[in-house]
Amino acid sequence: MRNHFMKEPIHTTLRHMRRSAGLTQEDVARCLGVGGRSYIAMLESGDRVPHVRDTILLSMLFGTQEAELFPHLYLSTKTLFQSNARKVIETAIAEGEAANSERVRYMRDALTNVQLAENVETSNI
């Protein structure tokens, strides 16, 4: 069952990284503490959204960032955050909150930080 908040499957580099490391799906499943290789197969095929704990464990195992392991998931999550953060700002201002209030400034800073991180990521390519 494809994850419901994304329209396309989650394409991952997990299979490539696992194979490059000489690991089996069973090896990776054991590192995650999950029952079997079927979960890993679903992650590799994009049929399953990984649990946040698993993305952290996988990034530790392969020495990489979660965004590199699951780039489509990262991108869609980032887009969702940006959209939701903008809605918080718009709602606060529509309800009469000052555009320079602590709450609105905090949300704008969070959006800026996400954009700056994106610029750094693309400059490293």
Side-chain angles (χ1 to χ4, degrees), residues 48-114:
R48 179 84 186 256
V49 175
H51 186 279
V52 68
R53 176 192 65 103
D54 295 339
T55 62
I56 294 167
L57 289 170
L58 288 166
S59 71
M60 290 175 182
L61 175 63
F62 294 110
T64 188
Q65 298 294 315
E66 295 89 346
E68 187 178 342
L69 282 168
F70 303 101
H72 285 72
L73 177 60
Y74 178 79
L75 178 61
S76 66
T77 302
K78 181 178 73 175
T79 302
L80 178 64
F81 167 76
Q82 290 171 320
S83 173
N84 290 345
R86 285 185 187 101
K87 288 176 188 172
V88 169
I89 293 167
E90 291 166 4
T91 300
I93 292 171
E95 291 173 349
E97 194 158 338
N100 66 347
S101 71
E102 182 178 348
R103 176 181 173 206
V104 172
R105 278 196 327 263
Y106 187 89
M107 293 305 297
R108 285 192 174 135
D109 288 347
L111 282 170
T112 300
N113 290 336
V114 168

Side-chain angles (χ1 to χ4, degrees), residues 18-62:
R18 176 184 59 76
R19 287 180 175 168
S20 294
L23 299 173
T24 66
Q25 289 177 333
E26 195 66 39
D27 294 331
V28 175
R30 284 190 187 111
C31 286
L32 298 182
V34 296
R37 66 176 217 66
S38 63
Y39 175 66
I40 305 306
M42 287 188 291
L43 290 178
E44 289 180 349
S45 67
D47 289 334
R48 179 84 186 256
V49 175
H51 186 279
V52 68
R53 176 192 65 103
D54 295 339
T55 62
I56 294 167
L57 289 170
L58 288 166
S59 71
M60 290 175 182
L61 175 63
F62 294 110

